[in-house]
């Protein structure tokens, strides 16, 4: 039995399946990863831009980065990796889709439901934390007419409704993801498994006896601790698995 057939067999027999996706699933849509060679913007790394400190220091610069990513995304289309996962999320009983991606491409492929660990680049909330603006709102305007954008409720500064480095994750999303990690098969797809707490879902799943499958073009920090590492592009490998099911 090939590794691919083994994974398909496990998936067929699984009661609960959870998939955790990272930036790698959006590469075929033209989106750069965070830690790849193409992940720099104006020679800066995401880790230095997507932080509370960077925003406090220069909100306009941080917003320029998000506005640039939103413009790139506007031209992007979901790829087969998004489509396979979206189809499973809708029609496979016991399947839970968890994503670290803020790009909205899984949602555009029709994924539902989806647990977003790091928020959404298409949502904003009040940076000052005013009463109404604390609840995020959707804004798909591309490009944003004025940078930095302001809160429509109090006129203060608005921020992207994403999780920055050093910020806690949304507790409801994290608890739902942790609960879903107690599953039969856990798929880690296109993630470098370096950013916690999301990366902690893998050992959590393992501790609950899940069969862990990694789908990635390269080895990662998690590769040594998975049951099967399928080396390849998520958009190819997921299509091949779907064809076997
Ligand atoms: P990374 O950029 O750290 O990792 C992307 C992974 O995708 C790498 O392991 C690549 O080898 C792999 N990859 C590239 N192309 C692929 C393809 N076609 N198919 C499969 N795998 C491929 O991105 P994440 O792990 O998602 O946080 O990073 C985690 C978080 O850190 C992100 O959610 C983001 C980031 O800063 C926020 O945006 C809040």
């Amino acid at each position: 039995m090939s590794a691919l057939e083994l994974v398909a067999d496990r998936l067929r027999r699984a009661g609960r399946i959870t998939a955790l996706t990272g930036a790698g699933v959006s590469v075929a849509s033209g989106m750069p990863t965070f830690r790849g060679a193409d992940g720099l913007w104006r020679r800066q790394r995401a880790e230095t831009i997507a932080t509370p400190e960077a925003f406090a220091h220069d909100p306009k610069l941080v917003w320029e980065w998000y506005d640039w990513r939103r413009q790139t995304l506007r031209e992007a289309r979901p790829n087969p990796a998004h489509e396979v996962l979206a189809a499973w999320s809708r029609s496979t009983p016991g399947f839970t889709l968890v994503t670290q991606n803020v790009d909205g491409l899984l949602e555009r492929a029709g994924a539902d439901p989806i647990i977003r660990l790091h928020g959404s680049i298409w949502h904003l909330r009040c940076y000052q934390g005013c009463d109404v603006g604390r609840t995020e709102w959707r804004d798909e305007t591309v490009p944003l007419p004025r940078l930095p954008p302001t809160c429509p409720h109090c006129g203060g500064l608005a921020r992207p409704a994403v999780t920055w480095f050093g910020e806690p994750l949304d507790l409801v999303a994290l608890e739902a993801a942790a609960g879903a990690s107690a599953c039969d098969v856990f798929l880690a797809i296109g993630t470098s498994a370096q950013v916690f707490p999301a990366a902690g879902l893998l050992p959590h799943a393992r501790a609950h006896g899940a069969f862990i499958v990694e789908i990635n073009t390269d080895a990662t920090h998690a590769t040594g601790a998975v049951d099967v590492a399928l080396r390849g592009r998520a958009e190819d490998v997921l299509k091949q698995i779907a064809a076997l099911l």
Side-chain angles (χ1 to χ4, degrees):
M1 197 186 275
S2 71
L4 214 56
E5 283 163 343
L6 172 66
V7 171
D9 181 58
R10 288 288 188 144
L11 287 171
R12 237 180 268 119
R13 292 191 284 122
R16 294 183 73 191
I17 303 165
T18 296
L20 170 70
T21 71
V25 299
S26 296
V27 166
S29 297
M31 296 308 296
T33 61
F34 293 96
R35 286 165 194 81
D38 54 354
L40 299 178
W41 176 76
R42 298 190 195 163
R43 277 180 283 155
Q44 297 195 64
R45 295 156 54 86
E47 284 99 328
T48 55
I49 309 169
T51 65
E53 293 77 21
F55 194 79
H57 175 69
D58 193 346
K60 186 162 184 282
L61 179 85
V62 173
W63 262 116
E64 279 169 2
W65 183 64
Y66 283 105
D67 200 43
W68 166 73
R69 289 187 73 90
R70 285 163 58 110
Q71 290 184 45
T72 314
L73 277 166
R74 175 47 64 85
E75 307 302 319
R77 294 282 165 271
N79 69 63
H82 300 120
E83 282 155 15
V84 169
L85 291 167
W88 289 348
S89 76
R90 286 194 310 268
S91 58
T92 304
F95 181 85
T96 304
L97 182 56
V98 183
T99 190
Q100 298 168 85
N101 300 352
V102 301
D103 58 30
L105 288 169
L106 281 163
E107 293 87 335
R108 271 167 63 189
D112 185 32
I114 182 165
I115 298 173
R116 284 199 295 247
L117 287 177
H118 293 163
S120 157
I121 199 171
W122 302 110
H123 288 79
L124 278 64
R125 67 171 190 264
C126 181
Y127 180 65
Q128 329 289 348
C130 81
D131 268 356
V132 192
R134 220 178 295 224
T135 305
E136 59 189 47
W137 65 91
R138 200 172 173 83
D139 184 342
E140 296 192 7
T141 320
V142 169
L144 285 161
R146 197 172 131 232
L147 295 178
T150 50
C151 170
H153 310 293
C154 72
L157 196 57
R159 60 164 285 173
V162 301
T163 308
W164 286 327
F165 286 95
E167 288 189 317
L169 268 59
D170 177 80
L171 202 58
V172 174
L174 186 58
E175 279 180 356
S181 301
C183 58
D184 301 309
V185 179
F186 186 93
L187 305 165
I189 310 169
T191 176
S192 63
Q194 282 186 63
V195 178
F196 285 80
L201 295 174
L202 276 91
H204 189 69
R206 195 174 184 79
H208 281 84
F211 184 79
I212 317 276
V213 180
E214 177 176 71
I215 302 175
N216 200 302
T217 46
D218 296 284
T220 73
H221 284 62
T223 304
V226 304
D227 293 294
V228 176
L230 295 174
R231 201 58 67 234
R233 302 186 309 175
E235 58 276 21
D236 301 331
V237 176
L238 285 171
K239 263 203 322 203
Q240 288 161 2
I241 294 174
L244 290 172
L245 293 177

